C-alpha cells in the first residue's frame, strides 16, 4: 500500500487564508450564518410557545396538555 505523504512544500492554510482572502466565500458564509440563525430562532420560539414542548418538570409529569389540563 502506498503512503499518502504530503509534499515538502505543503503548508496547511489557516482559516483567514482559506476563507477570508476569497471574496466569493462571503456569500456562502452569509447564507450559512443566516440559516443557522433562523434555525436557532425557530427552535427557541417553538420550545417556549408550543404547548407540546414541556420544559418544566411539573409540566412533563402531567398527563393532559393544553385545555384538558385545566379541566382536571
Amino acid at each position: 500500500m502506498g503512503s499518502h505523504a504530503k509534499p515538502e512544500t505543503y503548508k496547511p492554510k489557516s482559516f483567514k487564508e482559506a476563507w477570508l482572502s476569497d471574496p466569493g466565500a462571503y456569500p456562502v458564509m452569509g447564507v450559512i450564518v443566516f440559516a443557522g440563525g433562523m434555525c436557532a430562532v425557530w427552535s427557541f420560539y417553538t420550545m417556549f410557545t408550543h404547548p407540546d414542548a414541556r420544559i418544566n418538570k411539573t409540566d412533563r409529569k402531567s398527563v393532559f396538555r393544553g385545555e384538558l389540563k385545566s379541566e382536571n
Side-chain angles (χ1 to χ4, degrees):
M1 301 276 167
S3 66
H4 298 285
K6 296 177 183 172
E8 294 291 327
T9 59
Y10 176 77
K11 179 184 171 227
K13 292 184 178 182
S14 67
F15 176 80
K16 185 177 179 181
E17 291 172 339
W19 285 91
L20 300 180
S21 64
D22 183 13
Y26 294 144
V28 174
M29 289 188 288
V31 167
I32 291 171
V33 168
F34 179 76
M38 290 302 293
C39 287
V41 167
W42 181 255
S43 296
F44 281 108
Y45 171 76
T46 302
M47 186 169 35
F48 289 111
T49 60
H50 200 274
D52 286 339
R54 303 182 207 172
I55 299 172
N56 300 331
K57 285 187 178 183
T58 55
D59 291 340
R60 282 185 269 167
K61 291 179 182 177
S62 68
V63 177
F64 297 109
R65 299 178 223 156
E67 296 174 12
L68 293 176
K69 186 176 177 183
S70 62
E71 292 176 7
N72 289 334

